[in-house]
Amino acid sequence: MSLAAEAFVSQIAAAEPWPENATLYQPLKEDQILLSDSASSLAVQTFLRMCGLPVQVSCRANAEYMSPSGKVPFIHVGNQVVSELGPIVQFTKAKGHSLSDGLDDVQRAEMKAYMELVNNMLLTAELYIQWCDDFTATEISRPRYSSPYSWPLNHILAYQKQWEIRRKMTAIGWSGKNLEQVYEDVSQCCQALSQRLGTQPYFFNKQPTELDALVFGHLFTILTTQLTSDELAEKVKSYTNLLSFCHRIEQTYFKEHDREGQSVSSRHSKSSLP
């Protein structure tokens, strides 16, 4: 398909209303999904709820391999498949749904800078803990990641993923860090977020943006996921306004979620926020 034809198809897709059967795909919730993917999936779900856009969540063992980018989550909307929060934000904006239209250029640049901070610090720390801490990798990450598959494929895929992440950590200069240094990075990131939030309900006062969805996805998941140590969650708990922020978004956007007992809190190993 030519670039012009692709652009035409995109314009047609943008003109179509948001369907009721839009679907978000992620790894298996109970046995497979890891902290980083769970956080990313929750961030996208939160963003779509903030936009008032319905989406069904489908858990698939091969979600990572179904994704056009090889990353989860991804959404299937009409005949379009879009993965990761950034492209999904742009996709919904093309359909006329945006959380940040009310920001001026300076605020929008600031929002993007804080989103980069979250991705560069919190997401990277989650990946490091999952795959570069030997104890966590042995006890949690490799068994969960490979759980849908039988031997020897389960071992092959888990070690392949671990090698991929460790290679990434080397490329960005994180391979020489120890756990304490990573926890300190997380603490500094939380301090910056806490100072920016202050006493406001959201990062840009009274209305949420995609930054709020991203921060909530990561902080809530860190607070409610059982790891081999509570140290990561303890770093977040040091900032009371971030805890209140998480409570606020959970109450506002997930209060009526899954009435049969699968609340947003019970998605994870820990039952609720502290």
Side-chain angles (χ1 to χ4, degrees):
M1 185 182 293
S2 68
L3 290 176
E6 288 182 0
F8 178 72
V9 169
S10 296
Q11 289 174 358
I12 295 296
E16 295 173 352
W18 189 272
E20 288 296 321
N21 65 344
T23 304
L24 178 145
Y25 291 89
Q26 65 175 39
L28 300 178
K29 184 166 58 179
E30 298 300 329
D31 304 315
Q32 182 191 25
I33 197 166
L34 297 178
L35 169 64
S36 58
D37 288 341
S38 187
S40 297
S41 180
L42 182 57
V44 171
Q45 291 177 58
T46 305
F47 170 75
L48 294 175
R49 283 174 176 268
M50 287 173 169
C51 290
L53 300 173
V55 67
Q56 303 166 15
V57 178
S58 179
C59 299
R60 301 288 182 88
N62 62 339
E64 182 180 351
Y65 302 101
M66 294 168 62
S67 170
S69 69
K71 296 181 179 180
V72 288
F74 68 93
I75 58 172
H76 184 196
V77 181
N79 62 353
Q80 302 289 303
V81 177
V82 190
S83 62
E84 301 179 81
L85 179 61
I88 289 170
V89 168
Q90 294 304 312
F91 178 75
T92 59
K93 185 175 182 178
K95 284 184 171 293
H97 303 278
S98 175
L99 296 178
S100 53
D101 277 353
L103 303 183
D104 60 33
D105 290 343
V106 174
Q107 290 174 320
R108 194 171 288 110
E110 186 181 8
M111 179 191 71
K112 289 180 179 178
Y114 276 96
M115 292 182 74
E116 282 296 308
L117 176 68
V118 172
N119 287 323
N120 291 338
M121 301 297 280
L122 289 186
L123 177 58
T124 305
E126 291 161 4
L127 290 169
Y128 178 99
I129 292 166
Q130 287 169 187
W131 296 109
C132 297
D133 175 52
D134 289 333
F135 188 49
T136 303
T138 301
E139 295 295 317
I140 296 177
S141 304
R142 288 201 301 266
R144 285 185 64 85
Y145 184 81
S146 63
S147 63
Y149 307 102
S150 57
W151 187 90
L153 184 60
N154 58 342
H155 290 288
I156 293 171
L157 292 176
Y159 279 101
Q160 184 181 53
K161 185 66 175 183
Q162 186 170 16
W163 178 80
E164 173 193 324
I165 298 301
R166 289 188 172 189
R167 186 177 63 170
K168 175 182 178 179
M169 293 297 154
T170 299
I172 63 174
W174 276 54
S175 60
K177 292 191 177 188
N178 58 39
L179 266 181
E180 287 307 314
Q181 290 172 318
V182 171
Y183 290 142
E184 182 56 30
D185 286 341
V186 169
S187 184
Q188 289 181 7
C189 179
C190 288
Q191 183 178 17
L193 292 171
S194 176
Q195 289 176 345
R196 179 61 184 85
L197 180 64
T199 58
Q200 301 176 119
Y202 301 107
F203 282 96
F204 290 92
N205 203 6
K206 296 182 179 180
Q207 296 299 322
T209 66
E210 49 264 40
L211 172 62
D212 297 279
L214 179 65
V215 173
F216 172 75
H218 284 277
L219 296 187
F220 186 93
T221 306
I222 287 171
L223 289 165
T224 57
T225 299
Q226 188 71 53
L227 296 174
T228 57
S229 164
D230 290 334
E231 189 70 24
L232 185 62
E234 290 299 322
K235 295 299 182 185
V236 178
K237 291 178 187 177
S238 300
Y239 300 93
T240 55
N241 64 337
L242 295 182
L243 288 178
S244 298
F245 168 83
C246 288
H247 277 293
R248 185 179 306 113
I249 290 183
E250 183 189 17
Q251 287 296 111
T252 303
Y253 295 100
F254 292 93
K255 190 175 180 180
E256 303 299 323
H257 184 67
D258 288 344
R259 282 184 171 273
E260 282 102 18
Q262 289 296 319
S263 71
V264 68
S265 294
S266 63
R267 294 165 67 255
H268 308 281
S269 299
K270 294 181 183 178
S271 59
S272 62
L273 284 177

